[in-house]
Amino acid sequence: MNSSKQKEIQQKFQQQMDEKELLNCMRCGFCLPSCPTYIESGQQETHSPRGRIALMKAVRDGVIEPDEDVEHSLNLCLGCRACEPVCPSGVKYGRLLEDARDIIQQHKKQSFPVKWMRRAVFKGLFPSQSRMRQTASLLRFYQTSGLQTAARKTGMLKVLPSHLQLMEQALPKVPRQKKSRLTEYKATSPARKRVAFFSGCLMDTVFSSTNEATIQLLQLSGCDVVVPPIQTCCGALHGHSGEKEQAKQLAKQNIEAFEEADVDAIVMNAGGCGAFLSDYDHLLQDDPAFQKRSEAFSKKITDISDILVELEFHRRIPLALPEQVITYQDSCHLRNGMGVQGAPRVLMKAIHGVSFKEMKDADRCCGSAGIYNILQPKMSMQILDHKMTEASLSTAAAIVTSNPGCQLQMVAGIKRSGHSSSMRAVHLADFLLEAVQYGKEASSS
């Protein structure tokens, strides 16, 4: 990076970085034991939240230049926000990280292939649900046409890096993309709430069956469900990857889409999306036209597990499964960003025949972190190996998750550790619907 670009980045740090938030860090070190990259890097200070904040402040103050080492330190961060709940000063580290990445990304010189790829992914693919569905259809064709089988048997996939080969194996069977979908679903028990459902982009294509399960659970719990058709990607990947302006545009589109629905809550089933959606009020705090509207929107964001517990779904619906041990992998953003940790466990423990066993370090990131496992494969796999050691010790037959990225990462971990025959990874909504269906059959026999 040339000196003029470095100077420009430093000026932007001075203008845009929250100095008060940077100074809130007391360097106490409470964050260190909670930071996966600090632990896995052999306790390197620059790979800790405290160290990264020090780097941000040093760039802002002109003490150091925003060179490749600074950028590497920021990029190596998972953004899991595990440091936030343990911080005695309440430092909003995730917001600082997003701002710093955004400034660097927007003011660094990029090669044409990188520019093209970022534009294609962040502006062409994720904001367009039609393109997401087309991509999912192509992936389904690859899986069902015999191409996948041929690619694996002939060894063609060996041209890919090992971590991408593993990701290819971890991909779920993509459902057929439906041409038309309902926008309203009536409760199948006495109606108690009217809610809107945030369907997401990846969830609504690759994981559309999980979305269908989520809607069924809401209907069973007494919710009339509205699915606004003009909603779009939440913008989390954009916000975490230095594309903040694009994230703001997506946020505005979502707010406008959901304002038309007169609902008690906006329900989501992906922790990464939920945390970003609930932070729209901060994202748009400087926009007079959306300041109050974003606050109203963010207050309504609710995880599927929270609303099911609130409506006592687990007490009113018979839940049962064949005897098995299960464990739970927390979604970092669901737990650290939205504070949801008890509700999923309440629901799982209510299933007859299931023995819930808490996994050690269940709250530690699995290494997925959006597209981190693609961009930082070495650290991601290192973190995943630690996670699978703890998962294996739990002797669980199922690792339940609340986020698609976590689910894919845990599937990859199960394959990588050789546990495919004895363990599976499953989304909480799918697992609960299995328990509903099995419980219904058991009670009628």
Side-chain angles (χ1 to χ4, degrees), residues 199-434:
S199 55
C201 47
L202 191 65
M203 291 302 299
D204 203 35
T205 50
V206 177
F207 291 93
S208 59
S209 58
T210 302
N211 274 3
E212 291 170 4
T214 303
I215 291 172
Q216 287 185 56
L217 294 175
L218 289 169
Q219 290 177 285
L220 285 167
S221 65
C223 291
D224 289 331
V225 185
V226 181
V227 187
I230 59 171
Q231 61 179 292
T232 187
C233 171
C234 69
L237 283 178
H238 300 77
H240 302 330
S241 304
E243 299 287 345
K244 202 168 184 180
E245 285 306 312
Q246 181 70 22
K248 289 180 180 180
Q249 292 304 315
L250 295 172
K252 291 175 184 178
Q253 185 175 334
N254 280 324
I255 290 169
E256 289 172 344
F258 282 86
E259 278 177 336
E260 297 178 9
D262 181 22
V263 295
D264 303 308
I266 300 171
V267 182
M268 33 62 60
N269 59 6
C273 296
F276 201 75
L277 293 166
S278 64
D279 215 24
Y280 274 5
D281 54 342
H282 172 73
L283 183 68
L284 299 173
Q285 62 180 343
D286 297 325
D287 190 323
F290 279 88
Q291 189 176 36
K292 291 188 180 299
R293 295 164 72 183
S294 62
E295 289 175 2
F297 177 91
S298 293
K299 286 178 182 176
K300 288 186 176 182
I301 299 300
T302 308
D303 182 60
I304 176 65
S305 63
D306 265 348
I307 198 163
L308 291 181
V309 170
E310 178 191 341
L311 295 174
E312 297 189 319
F313 168 84
H314 56 300
R315 299 183 190 279
R316 297 169 47 237
I317 306 292
L319 301 173
L321 282 172
E323 288 190 11
Q324 60 187 290
V325 176
I326 67 168
T327 193
Y328 181 67
Q329 167 59 29
D330 284 282
S331 157
C332 294
H333 285 91
L334 185 62
R335 182 174 181 132
N336 303 323
M338 295 184 68
V340 177
Q341 54 182 301
R345 290 169 169 83
V346 168
L347 294 167
M348 287 182 284
K349 290 176 181 178
I351 302 172
H352 294 288
V354 162
S355 298
F356 178 80
K357 188 171 183 180
E358 192 72 54
M359 175 170 48
K360 184 183 177 185
D361 295 332
D363 58 343
R364 184 181 292 181
C365 185
C366 64
S368 172
I371 55 175
Y372 184 93
N373 51 5
I374 297 174
L375 300 177
Q376 302 288 342
K378 183 179 178 182
M379 180 60 76
S380 175
M381 292 299 106
Q382 201 171 322
I383 291 168
L384 178 59
D385 287 344
H386 172 87
K387 178 64 62 179
M388 290 313 302
T389 297
E390 302 302 343
S392 300
L393 291 174
S394 74
T395 67
I399 304 174
V400 184
T401 73
S402 295
N403 191 61
C406 301
Q407 185 176 341
L408 288 175
Q409 184 80 340
M410 298 316 299
V411 171
I414 290 169
K415 291 182 179 295
R416 182 177 167 89
S417 61
H419 288 90
S420 296
S421 62
S422 59
M423 185 183 288
R424 65 171 176 147
V426 58
H427 191 284
L428 177 64
D430 294 315
F431 195 70
L432 288 174
L433 190 60
E434 287 177 19

Side-chain angles (χ1 to χ4, degrees), residues 170-198:
L171 284 172
K173 295 297 181 185
V174 179
R176 186 182 298 277
Q177 301 302 296
K178 295 181 180 178
K179 292 183 179 180
S180 60
R181 305 184 187 194
L182 296 176
T183 56
E184 291 201 29
Y185 299 80
K186 292 295 182 182
T188 52
S189 65
R192 304 172 68 189
K193 277 183 180 290
R194 177 178 166 84
V195 304
F197 177 58
F198 182 80

Side-chain angles (χ1 to χ4, degrees), residues 111-145:
S111 65
F112 176 77
V114 171
K115 274 186 179 179
W116 181 86
M117 181 60 72
R118 290 184 68 90
R119 184 177 183 84
V121 171
F122 292 119
K123 293 186 178 180
L125 180 59
F126 282 100
S128 171
Q129 202 61 1
S130 62
R131 291 194 191 102
M132 287 292 293
R133 286 176 184 158
Q134 288 168 7
T135 303
S137 294
L138 287 173
L139 184 56
R140 176 179 167 79
F141 177 76
Y142 166 73
Q143 292 177 332
T144 59
S145 65

Side-chain angles (χ1 to χ4, degrees), residues 1-2 5 68 71 104-120 243:
M1 193 183 301
N2 60 46
K5 283 291 183 183
E68 292 181 358
E71 186 178 359
I104 292 173
Q105 186 59 47
Q106 297 307 317
H107 295 87
K108 66 179 288 189
K109 188 175 181 179
Q110 295 175 328
S111 65
F112 176 77
V114 171
K115 274 186 179 179
W116 181 86
M117 181 60 72
R118 290 184 68 90
R119 184 177 183 84
E243 299 287 345

